[in-house]
Amino acid sequence: MNPSLLADTLPDGMFTLADHEHQAGLRLSEAVRAYFNGGAADQLTLRANTRAWQDIALLPRVMRPLASGHTRVELLGRTLAHPLLVAPMAYQALAHAMGEQATAIAAAALGTGLVLSTQSSTRLEQVARAYLPDAGRGPLWFQLYLQPDRGFLRELIQRTEAAGFEALVLTVDAPVHGARDAERRAGFELPPHVSAVNLNGMRLPPTTALQPGQSALFDGLLTHAPTWDDIAWLRSITRLPVLLKGVVHPDDARQALTCGAAGVIVSNHGGRTLDTMPATAALLPRVVQAVAGDAPVLVDGGIRRGTDVLKAMALGASAVLVGRPVLHGLANAGANGVAHVLRLLRDELEIAMALTGCRTLADAPGALWAQAHSR
């Protein structure tokens, strides 16, 4: 292992994920902060994600047997040490020179699953080599968007299979970018040394001249937007299970399973696409009910405390994905910073379980005040 990957020292005063966010804000440029932390439009959904978890109350239980408790969960045929995965996030080299490689080392060391973004600034093979050798690691998944260049996409998926990735996560909620005002105000642009290296060589679709009255969006870009029919094609070219990320409507959850999805991820893209969407904490229960235990349901968006993780599991999630806090830890101290963020969440989860009388996460539903109060 390159010693420089573990050379960063964690700054003093890092006790919470909020501390990491504050410190990262001092290190990152205004433009990069806007890219990492900003949301769409008025950022209402961005703020609602965190607030919704905070608004859910937990009810302590006392004198319950807690010895030999654990945080283990089952997910797609694997036993995970805890229900945390790193969400797919693009261009991590903006936060730290070692980018996704540092994140992978930290996630593997903490037993945390890793979902690598299509728009990673590090080659997927390099990330896999950093992550897979750790015996205690979680699952390694690859996030992708359906690209018009299907030949390139087929080759990209073949690369992920050969590198050892265990599942594909298809993002389905972003056929276009949201109106990210904060990024535009800050003048965010990728620097020359950062790019989506795994997309090198992909051919862009030919542009079609628009007729008077036509929309550049609906008659241009969206003519290549994926549909449900494309899920069958994707499944036909890979041996890996496919999860759909960005499913928030119960009917879409049922349709995803009909199309052969191995699971769904309740996500509003961290508030970065459609503003005024409900928070994922509010969306999760209806999707869980629609899936009815036929496939795992994961959730992301606004997870900032171990209590949030417990609440998500109590609402029926199979696991949670954590995004921005990982970037903050990466900016603060590389792999050591990411490891610290993940360790904080794990420790806080165990504390919350103990104080609500949950010996395992199967007991989590009983920790919710609303459910206990209704009985």
Side-chain angles (χ1 to χ4, degrees):
M1 182 187 301
N2 187 341
S4 63
L5 288 169
L6 298 175
D8 298 276
T9 301
L10 192 70
D12 293 335
M14 298 288 100
F15 302 108
T16 68
L17 270 58
D19 294 334
H20 272 280
E21 181 174 2
H22 174 75
Q23 181 66 29
L26 302 178
R27 291 171 173 263
L28 299 171
S29 69
E30 179 185 0
V32 172
R33 284 199 309 274
Y35 177 71
F36 282 159
N37 294 341
D42 297 313
Q43 304 187 123
L44 300 175
T45 297
L46 171 68
R47 292 191 291 272
N49 274 347
T50 302
R51 187 173 61 249
W53 296 116
Q54 295 170 343
D55 288 344
I56 297 172
L58 294 173
L59 183 67
R61 295 295 303 274
V62 300
M63 306 294 287
R64 294 167 70 96
L66 298 172
S68 302
H70 61 80
T71 59
R72 292 190 296 275
V73 294
E74 301 294 321
L75 185 62
L76 294 185
R78 287 196 52 182
T79 300
L80 281 61
H82 55 82
L84 296 173
L85 293 88
V86 174
M89 295 169 289
Y91 307 124
Q92 294 182 31
L94 291 170
H96 189 276
M98 297 301 176
E100 292 82 1
Q101 188 178 6
T103 298
I105 289 172
L110 271 292
T112 305
L114 176 66
V115 188
L116 183 69
S117 170
T118 291
Q119 295 174 308
S120 165
S121 47
T122 307
R123 285 179 58 84
L124 64 91
E125 291 86 357
Q126 188 175 359
V127 174
R129 287 194 296 270
Y131 185 82
L132 291 174
D134 196 305
R137 67 175 178 82
L140 178 62
W141 298 351
F142 187 77
Q143 177 270 337
L144 54 84
Y145 297 94
L146 279 176
Q147 307 289 348
D149 187 346
R150 294 303 171 86
F152 177 87
L153 185 60
R154 186 189 297 267
E155 293 176 1
L156 179 63
I157 292 171
Q158 290 171 348
R159 285 176 56 196
T160 66
E161 293 178 348
F165 285 79
E166 301 162 75
L168 299 176
V169 175
L170 179 66
T171 295
V172 295
D173 66 337
V176 297
H177 285 298
R180 299 177 190 167
D181 299 339
E183 286 180 32
R184 295 200 297 266
R185 290 192 185 99
F188 173 76
E189 293 182 354
L190 283 176
H193 68 283
V194 177
S195 66
V197 295
N198 292 302
L199 296 181
N200 289 344
M202 184 180 69
R203 294 171 297 179
L204 298 177
T207 56
T208 303
L210 296 176
Q211 301 301 313
Q214 286 189 311
S215 163
L217 184 61
F218 288 103
D219 301 303
L221 178 64
L222 291 180
T223 59
H224 302 285
T227 67
W228 288 109
D229 293 337
D230 294 309
I231 305 300
W233 175 84
L234 177 61
R235 293 184 61 239
S236 74
I237 65 166
T238 182
R239 58 178 174 79
L240 300 179
V242 177
L243 297 91
L244 303 191
K245 179 176 180 289
V247 175
V248 298
H249 194 289
D251 290 346
D252 287 344
R254 286 185 281 264
Q255 180 69 21
L257 299 196
T258 299
C259 292
V264 298
I265 301 174
V266 177
S267 173
N268 54 30
H269 222 93
R272 291 168 63 82
T273 52
L274 178 63
D275 200 20
T276 72
M277 279 184 66
T280 50
L283 294 162
L284 174 62
R286 295 180 67 205
V287 174
V288 169
Q289 183 179 23
V291 170
D294 292 333
V297 177
L298 292 79
V299 65
D300 69 9
I303 301 288
R304 296 295 183 272
R305 286 283 189 179
T307 47
D308 300 338
V309 181
L310 180 59
K311 293 168 188 178
M313 302 301 289
L315 292 174
S318 305
V320 306
L321 295 91
V322 181
R324 290 180 176 95
V326 170
L327 294 176
H328 300 149
L330 182 64
N332 288 331
N336 287 328
V338 173
H340 189 247
V341 164
L342 298 175
R343 183 75 255 178
L344 286 172
L345 285 171
R346 286 189 60 179
D347 290 347
E348 290 181 4
L349 172 60
E350 292 186 0
I351 292 169
M353 290 173 63
L355 294 176
T356 53
C358 297
R359 194 176 69 86
T360 73
L361 289 168
D363 301 324
L368 292 182
W369 160 248
Q371 292 193 17
H373 189 59
S374 66
R375 293 199 291 269

